[in-house]
Amino acid sequence: MSSPSRPSRPIKGRGATYNPDNRFQPTHSIAEDDGWWQEEVPGRIATQVQLEAPRSALSWNQSPDLGFDRSLNPYRGCEHGCIYCYARPSHAYWDLSPGIDFETRLIAKTGMTDRLREELCKPGYVCRPINLSGNTDCYQPIEAQHGTTRSLLELLLACRHPVTLVTKSALILRDRGLLAEMARHRLVRVFISLTSLDNELKRTLEPRTASPAARLKIIRELHDAGVPVGVLMAPVIPAINDSEIETLLHRAAEAGARTASWTLLRLPREVSPLFEAWLEEHYPERAGKVMSLIRQSRGGENNDSRFGHRMRGNGIFVDMIGQRFRRTALRLGLERRAEAGLDTTQFRAPHAQQDLFG
């Protein structure tokens, strides 16, 4: 088990500053200086990828806070290293830490396309949009080698199944032709997570993601290819990036975003101490104010996991953010009339006879 002790300086290229204990482990280790010389810990940690053959492809949820009831997650863990990622605690289920392990010890699922094909062929399957992916970024760096996301999209296009995508990676442009074809059949919507336009903040907050300029380029190029694109300011972090709301929405609209949404920072389980350690490392002069505003928006706690509250919170700060966001989005046309939804009527199970003239 990795030691929970915190390093004296951040690890280059990583978001978390340490590995918290796995909450399912009955014991934990503590590093002690016994006076013996030890080799310096390298400034970088290499990424390790383990393969896993899943028993199923689709993950199902009944959350009223989400706009989908099923998702595909080709990977566990995420090399992007976003310190605020709500998926970090899930790494504990694989005897790994939600800290550095979440960013460096990844799991790539094999045979996902075959599993999905089987599930789409089940007699009782009802077609509704699939979210790809609901837990970690399906276009994180290891996708370039494994290609699972592209394979899944090819299957979904072939059987005319609608999908929504959320990413902060420029690797999605590799598949712009495929996405454009899906868009022509009203089978896809893409959402780009754009948290900040500040390169220095991005470097520490989301260390291995595309730059702000690159994300605006993604929006522009997908828009030009005919792919409907929205922008997510997720999360809004009090006293860290909330001052960028108006500018960020303006730049996203200029690039071609059609819709915009936001969520408030969530700090479930181990994410809370990890985020507080990040604050103390990078913004020590603001740490107290940031956490105070979070608690004011979360009923006095660091987190509120209740349905209907976890995405936005409540209170004066949240009301102010909501008003600013809505007013700016409306002025920029990002809350314009609802667009036609994704088309579920074209779906045909993969084994079904195809229309010879389709």
Side-chain angles (χ1 to χ4, degrees):
M1 177 69 191
S2 302
S3 167
S5 60
R6 305 185 185 188
S8 59
R9 59 183 183 275
I11 299 170
K12 191 174 181 63
R14 300 297 178 181
T17 56
Y18 73 109
N19 254 347
D21 291 326
N22 185 318
R23 65 184 180 277
F24 298 115
Q25 289 287 352
T27 61
H28 67 273
S29 61
I30 299 176
E32 295 286 355
D33 183 0
D34 59 3
W36 287 83
W37 174 86
Q38 295 183 11
E39 184 179 356
E40 274 289 316
V41 177
R44 295 177 183 271
I45 298 179
T47 301
Q48 303 174 50
V49 182
Q50 175 184 334
L51 301 182
E52 172 191 270
R55 287 176 293 182
S56 61
L58 290 170
S59 299
W60 299 81
N61 78 83
Q62 296 180 332
S63 170
D65 295 326
L66 300 177
F68 56 88
D69 65 356
R70 65 201 75 184
S71 59
L72 290 165
N73 297 285
Y75 308 108
R76 304 190 196 277
C78 187
E79 196 173 2
H80 282 163
C82 304
I83 190 59
Y84 55 76
C85 184
Y86 60 82
R88 284 181 178 274
S90 66
H91 231 46
Y93 292 111
W94 290 274
D95 294 328
L96 297 168
S97 172
I100 297 296
D101 284 354
F102 179 79
E103 309 171 34
T104 61
R105 300 181 65 180
L106 312 180
I107 298 171
K109 299 180 185 179
T110 61
M112 279 284 283
T113 305
D114 291 337
R115 299 288 81 73
L116 178 60
R117 183 179 290 106
E118 293 169 0
E119 290 169 45
L120 296 181
C121 286
K122 290 181 178 179
Y125 181 79
V126 177
C127 176
R128 294 192 184 96
I130 294 173
N131 181 258
L132 207 169
S133 59
N135 211 29
T136 61
D137 200 317
C138 59
Y139 279 107
Q140 63 175 286
I142 59 173
E143 164 63 17
Q145 174 187 352
H146 292 271
T148 305
T149 297
R150 182 175 179 86
S151 178
L152 291 169
L153 288 174
E154 288 172 338
L155 172 60
L156 293 173
L157 172 60
C159 62
R160 298 295 192 263
H161 196 300
V163 65
T164 57
L165 279 165
V166 182
T167 187
K168 56 190 72 170
S169 170
L171 184 57
I172 190 174
L173 293 179
R174 175 199 67 184
D175 297 338
R176 102 187 79 191
L178 179 58
L179 295 169
E181 178 64 19
M182 297 187 80
R184 281 191 281 275
H185 296 278
R186 287 178 42 217
L187 296 174
V188 69
R189 280 186 183 168
V190 173
F191 299 91
I192 302 302
S193 176
L194 186 59
T195 309
S196 175
L197 299 173
D198 182 332
N199 284 310
E200 184 59 24
L201 174 58
K202 197 278 327 174
R203 184 184 65 79
T204 59
L205 188 69
E206 308 165 330
R208 297 200 172 195
T209 61
S211 70
R215 291 189 223 182
L216 292 171
K217 179 183 177 183
I218 296 168
I219 295 171
R220 186 175 301 109
E221 295 199 10
L222 290 179
H223 171 75
D224 290 346
V227 180
V229 188
V231 65
L232 302 177
M233 190 171 182
V236 172
I237 307 174
I240 294 293
N241 70 345
D242 60 288
S243 63
E244 297 188 63
I245 289 174
E246 290 79 6
T247 305
L248 185 148
L249 290 178
H250 179 74
R251 296 288 300 279
E254 279 187 333
R258 298 184 183 182
T259 59
S261 187
W262 68 281
T263 63
L264 186 68
L265 175 70
R266 296 167 55 193
L267 297 176
R269 296 188 179 273
E270 295 91 343
V271 182
S272 184
L274 284 165
F275 180 77
E276 291 192 70
W278 177 88
L279 273 178
E280 291 293 345
E281 180 64 46
H282 299 287
Y283 295 93
E285 75 289 349
R286 285 191 238 172
K289 179 180 180 181
V290 172
M291 294 309 300
S292 175
L293 287 169
I294 289 171
R295 294 181 187 116
Q296 290 175 41
S297 305
R298 296 294 189 187
E301 304 293 334
N302 283 5
N303 192 57
D304 184 351
S305 60
R306 292 177 299 162
F307 289 149
H309 296 267
R310 57 182 182 152
M311 297 300 196
R312 293 287 175 87
N314 51 62
I316 295 174
F317 177 80
V318 171
D319 291 344
M320 179 185 67
I321 293 300
Q323 290 172 19
R324 288 173 57 198
F325 200 95
R326 283 192 300 274
R327 183 170 59 248
T328 306
L330 183 62
R331 176 170 56 84
L332 294 171
L334 294 172
E335 285 194 345
R336 62 169 66 93
R337 63 189 180 282
E339 298 180 80
L342 297 178
D343 189 356
T344 60
T345 64
Q346 303 176 62
F347 172 70
R348 299 181 182 185
H351 69 291
Q353 177 66 41
Q354 297 297 309
D355 186 342
L356 295 178
F357 304 99

